Amino acid sequence: MWYETKVTRTLNIKYPIIQAGMAGGVTTPELVASVSNSGSLGNIGAGYMSAEQLKVNIEKVKQLTDKPFGVNLFIPESPEISEKEINKANEWLQPFREELNLSEVSEVKKANALIFEAQIKVIIEEEVPVCSFTFGLPSKEIVERLKKKNIVIIGTATTVKEAVANEEIGMDMVVVQGSEAGGHRGTFMGSFEDAMIGTMAFVPQTVDHVNIPVIAAGGIMDGRGVLSAMILGAEAVQMGTAFVTSLESGAKEQHKEAVLRSFEDQTVVTSTFSGKPARGIRNKFITKMESHEKEVPKYPIQNTLTQSIRKEAAKQNRPEWMSLWCGQNPRSSKQQSVSEMMSEILSEIDSIVIGKIKEW
Ligand SMILES: Cc1cc2nc3c(=O)[nH]c(=O)nc-3n(C[C@H](O)[C@H](O)[C@H](O)COP(=O)(O)O)c2cc1C
């Protein structure tokens, strides 16, 4: 069958479809479990979670499914940022805070390697079957600890060179994130601009240069997308935006509505929200901050500086100041349950495959 691949066999799932771990509240236990129950792989987006929050989420998912699921983590980054740079960024952000009546400036929080280590410990203790990473590579030591427990590990790459590095450190499979992808760029070698490779060009080149299975991501929203990625040599796909608007998703209503209403020419890659390039729907915040694009403090500093603005904007129903992460294929988004989405994808693939066989 078209859906049996090295990825489905290794992950012990039926369909080669992976719901992206999406940090920031999108991946409710209900979403993760519904995806896994439908025969695909659900993932907890744990990038911003403490070890305790992660444990609670894992336990909730386990109550809702006995199928495999994964946890997605961010490799911690600690850029050196001066007080002066932080003050400058706070000055740029002050007008947004005033509009929202926010009196306090957010506290600067640095990425903490200890939190990452604690997240890994929880994943091992809870015997989570799959662990994926973005923003870089974990240490060899962490790779070995996870593998010793038979946890399948998946890395993220935005160039062939990064995919090879993932293979060399011992990843079992690699997500190749095309430039269409919504959310943060996973680039960790060289500039992100050079690593903006469309999925159609990126997948076959990676398949030709690594031996581990390739998972295609970026702009895939339906059966056509799944099948095309597999024809290019991918052994599974990872979808993010398509799940943002699902009924089980925990995305804010304003975010869901913005994705459902957007077109292919309305997303932009911006560092203004977090200090790391990410694709989202253009809004007033991005446009007003655009002139500081290259100067905002690097991730995760800018992310912590804008945190209260994003949160308060959601509370006050001001989507123009929220980060509305979204890939380049929002016209294909639908508001439907995971089970409806999955059965549509599968019947679309069946009819394409059967139709083609008849034509031939
Ligand atoms: C709202 C949102 C949040 C995301 N958060 C994460 C994340 O926490 N970790 C990660 O590895 N990828 C994250 N991504 C990127 C996805 O892994 C994937 O590359 C992307 O969704 C694929 O493109 P698509 O959105 O067009 O399906 C996110 C994507 C979106 C849309």
Side-chain angles (χ1 to χ4, degrees):
M1 295 298 267
W2 67 266
Y3 51 78
E4 282 170 25
T5 69
K6 268 189 221 148
V7 169
T8 59
R9 282 190 290 274
T10 308
L11 297 178
N12 200 17
I13 56 176
K14 187 163 180 192
Y15 301 113
I17 296 173
I18 298 175
Q19 164 249 309
M22 291 177 274
V26 177
T27 63
T28 59
E30 290 73 22
L31 173 63
V32 178
S34 304
V35 175
S36 291
N37 285 334
S38 75
S40 299
L41 187 82
N43 270 299
I44 300 172
Y48 304 126
M49 286 183 193
S50 65
E52 294 72 31
Q53 289 166 330
L54 176 57
K55 196 172 158 64
V56 170
N57 268 267
I58 293 170
E59 279 163 8
K60 283 192 187 153
V61 171
K62 282 182 179 170
Q63 282 166 15
L64 299 170
T65 185
D66 54 4
K67 298 276 194 306
F69 65 95
V71 170
N72 176 263
L73 298 180
F74 294 162
I75 301 294
E77 293 164 73
S78 314
E80 282 305 318
I81 312 278
S82 68
E83 210 45 45
K84 204 171 139 200
E85 284 173 273
I86 292 173
N87 291 341
K88 212 158 61 170
N90 271 328
E91 259 173 50
W92 298 327
L93 295 172
Q94 195 51 27
F96 301 100
R97 294 200 182 103
E98 280 169 15
E99 279 279 340
L100 291 162
N101 287 321
L102 272 173
S103 50
E104 276 178 41
V105 169
S106 311
E107 187 195 341
V108 175
K109 283 189 226 128
K110 296 202 171 157
N112 193 334
L114 293 176
I115 296 178
F116 181 67
E117 171 56 31
Q119 291 170 326
I120 295 284
K121 224 169 131 207
V122 169
I123 290 168
I124 290 173
E125 277 166 12
E126 292 286 329
E127 298 177 2
V128 175
V130 186
C131 180
S132 62
F133 301 92
T134 188
F135 304 166
L137 301 173
S139 66
K140 192 88 194 141
E141 184 257 336
I142 287 180
V143 167
E144 276 158 18
R145 270 164 65 202
L146 292 166
K147 285 198 146 180
K148 226 194 223 155
K149 295 285 171 184
N150 292 322
I151 296 171
V152 179
I153 49 175
I154 308 179
T156 303
T158 60
T159 57
V160 172
K161 195 169 153 194
E162 288 179 353
V164 170
N166 268 284
E167 178 169 37
E168 281 171 358
I169 198 130
M171 289 294 155
D172 294 303
M173 39 191 88
V174 63
V175 172
V176 304
Q177 188 189 38
S179 55
E180 301 93 325
H184 284 103
R185 304 293 306 148
T187 307
F188 61 95
M189 289 173 148
S191 82
F192 98 87
E193 288 96 340
D194 292 345
M196 291 297 281
I197 323 293
T199 309
M200 185 92 183
F202 189 16
V203 171
Q205 295 188 79
T206 313
V207 168
D208 288 347
H209 284 89
V210 296
N211 295 308
I212 51 174
V214 164
I215 300 162
I220 301 168
M221 301 288 286
D222 51 27
R224 296 172 291 187
V226 174
L227 204 53
S228 349
M230 293 181 71
I231 288 170
L232 294 173
E235 306 221 31
V237 301
Q238 175 156 297
M239 294 156 71
T241 304
F243 288 103
V244 168
T245 56
S246 68
L247 298 181
E248 293 87 344
S249 145
K252 300 268 186 310
E253 279 314 309
Q254 299 96 330
H255 186 180
K256 291 186 180 187
E257 274 171 34
V259 173
L260 288 164
R261 274 190 280 110
S262 288
F263 302 145
E264 72 289 352
D265 57 354
Q266 289 176 324
T267 71
V268 64
V269 176
T270 179
S271 298
T272 57
F273 280 112
S274 69
K276 186 186 271 300
R279 187 178 291 286
I281 298 163
R282 180 182 277 285
N283 60 7
K284 280 192 187 149
F285 183 92
I286 298 174
T287 304
K288 285 202 168 158
M289 287 288 290
E290 210 156 35
S291 55
H292 309 304
E293 176 78 41
K294 298 270 177 223
E295 297 164 275
V296 293
K298 288 209 161 33
Y299 179 90
I301 308 294
Q302 178 72 356
N303 201 46
T304 65
L305 294 181
T306 64
Q307 191 177 26
S308 55
I309 295 173
R310 290 178 280 120
K311 225 171 157 178
E312 189 59 27
K315 238 198 231 164
Q316 295 187 21
N317 195 21
R318 307 292 296 261
E320 64 269 32
W321 297 327
M322 291 166 63
S323 53
L324 306 166
W325 303 142
C326 175
Q328 280 183 316
N329 192 353
R331 285 189 202 248
S332 305
S333 61
K334 288 183 183 168
Q335 197 161 32
Q336 58 188 3
S337 67
V338 166
S339 70
E340 281 170 315
M341 174 175 155
M342 288 301 167
S343 57
E344 268 189 20
I345 289 178
L346 297 177
S347 62
E348 193 182 351
I349 294 177
D350 276 348
S351 62
I352 297 172
V353 173
I354 293 164
K356 290 285 169 215
I357 291 171
K358 276 189 187 152
E359 272 175 34
W360 294 332

